[in-house]
């Protein structure tokens, strides 16, 4: 059974740093595309970052240069290092596993098939 | 950036009735669209991917249709557990371009 369990959230002052963890079971993190998605209180979903199975990483413009996604293959765990935090980074952060199919153009199309329960990050003085 | 617009923002439906939710993309996303259900305090749950393929374990009362820029999620006969917020998401050419719609809240009439 696939499970994703996030941890590491909490209250942090503006300008501070925090590292989120996502412990996975039932599959291998390093063999899959893994992402972080966040949701500000009472708002919709916002994609944050992805790490490819090959190790390449991408970020939303809103966090580029401040957040770093990584993984520890030995622990089967995904991470999100968040630096220079701002009030607008306040949100529940979800990790998500991506799966794929080949679309009509022959390209691999990825979507999120499993999500963790989320961890709340509050940036406030 | 592809903008996803969902309508209506809130849909009031009686149990047993049909619910029809719409999602529009600002440019074509082919059939690379997913629908998620989210209940209060819970993570999103995948319902539909590829615009019309139900995810594992999703009841047949949920169906998706559309391609290009216009998509629809239909719940044929609403059950009490279906009252939630529904999000569409395009993943055409992702990574790295991925965006969600603003959501439709389905509430009890």
């Amino acid at each position: 059974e696939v499970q994703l369990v996030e941890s590491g959230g909490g209250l942090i002052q503006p300008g501070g740093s925090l590292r989120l963890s996502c412990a996975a079971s039932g599959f291998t993190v390093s063999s899959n595309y893994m992402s972080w998605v966040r949701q500000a209180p009472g708002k919709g979903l916002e994609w944050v970052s992805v790490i490819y199975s090959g190790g390449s990483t991408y970020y939303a413009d809103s966090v580029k240069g401040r957040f770093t996604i990584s993984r520890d293959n030995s622990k089967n765990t995904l991470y999100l290092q968040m630096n220079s935090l701002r009030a607008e980074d306040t949100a529940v952060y979800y990790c998500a596993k991506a799966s794929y199919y080949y679309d009509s153009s022959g390209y691999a199309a990825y979507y999120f098939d499993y999500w963790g329960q989320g961890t709340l990050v509050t940036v406030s003085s | 950036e592809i903008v996803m617009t969902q309508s209506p923002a809130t849909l009031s439906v009686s149990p047993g009735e049909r619910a029809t939710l719409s999602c529009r993309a600002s440019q074509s996303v082919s059939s690379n669209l997913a629908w998620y259900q989210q209940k209060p305090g819970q993570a999103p749950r995948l319902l539909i991917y590829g615009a019309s393929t139900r995810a594992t374990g999703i009841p047949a009362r949920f169906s998706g249709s559309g391609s290009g820029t216009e998509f629809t999620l239909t719940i044929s006969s609403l059950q009490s557990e279906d009252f939630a917020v529904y999000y569409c998401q395009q993943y055409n050419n992702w990574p790295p371009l991925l965006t969600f719609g603003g959501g439709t809240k389905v509430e009890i009439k």
Side-chain angles (χ1 to χ4, degrees), chain A residues 33 35 37 39 43-47 50 52 58 94 98 101 103-104 108-113 115-117, chain B residues 30-34 36 38 42-46 49-51 87 89 91-92 94-96 98 100-102:
Chain A
Y33 284 23
S35 228
V37 177
Q39 186 171 36
K43 302 298 184 181
L45 300 165
E46 179 189 19
W47 172 75
V50 63
Y52 288 21
Y58 290 92
Y94 297 100
Y101 59 92
D103 68 11
S104 56
Y110 289 84
Y111 58 95
F112 300 132
D113 56 349
W115 298 64
Q117 87 289 348
Chain B
S30 186
S31 294
N32 293 329
L33 184 112
Y36 299 89
Q38 187 178 36
Q42 295 186 17
R45 177 175 72 142
L46 175 68
Y49 64 94
Y87 293 95
Q89 174 213 16
Y91 48 91
N92 199 46
W94 181 81
L98 181 155
F100 292 90

Side-chain angles (χ1 to χ4, degrees), chain A residues 12-118:
Chain A
I12 187 76
Q13 291 189 339
S17 296
L18 210 57
R19 189 179 80 157
L20 306 182
S21 300
C22 172
S25 58
F27 73 101
T28 302
V29 165
S30 62
S31 299
N32 288 272
Y33 284 23
M34 297 294 297
S35 228
W36 289 96
V37 177
R38 68 184 180 182
Q39 186 171 36
K43 302 298 184 181
L45 300 165
E46 179 189 19
W47 172 75
V48 172
S49 181
V50 63
I51 183 167
Y52 288 21
S53 51
S56 298
T57 58
Y58 290 92
Y59 301 91
D61 287 345
S62 57
V63 307
K64 201 173 296 183
R66 300 187 299 123
F67 290 12
T68 302
I69 190 172
S70 64
R71 66 190 182 210
D72 184 329
N73 297 345
S74 67
K75 295 183 178 179
N76 209 33
T77 297
L78 179 73
Y79 300 101
L80 185 68
Q81 177 67 43
M82 304 186 295
N83 299 331
S84 303
L85 282 161
R86 307 166 180 167
E88 54 265 35
D89 295 319
T90 294
V92 174
Y93 285 74
Y94 297 100
C95 66
K97 169 187 168 293
S99 190
Y100 70 94
Y101 59 92
Y102 290 100
D103 68 11
S104 56
S105 300
Y107 291 102
Y110 289 84
Y111 58 95
F112 300 132
D113 56 349
Y114 290 96
W115 298 64
Q117 87 289 348

Side-chain angles (χ1 to χ4, degrees), chain B residues 1 5 7 15 37 43-44 46 57 81 84-86 94 99:
Chain B
E1 177 185 332
T5 303
S7 61
Q37 176 194 68
L46 175 68
E81 62 267 29
V85 179
Y86 293 83
W94 181 81
T99 46

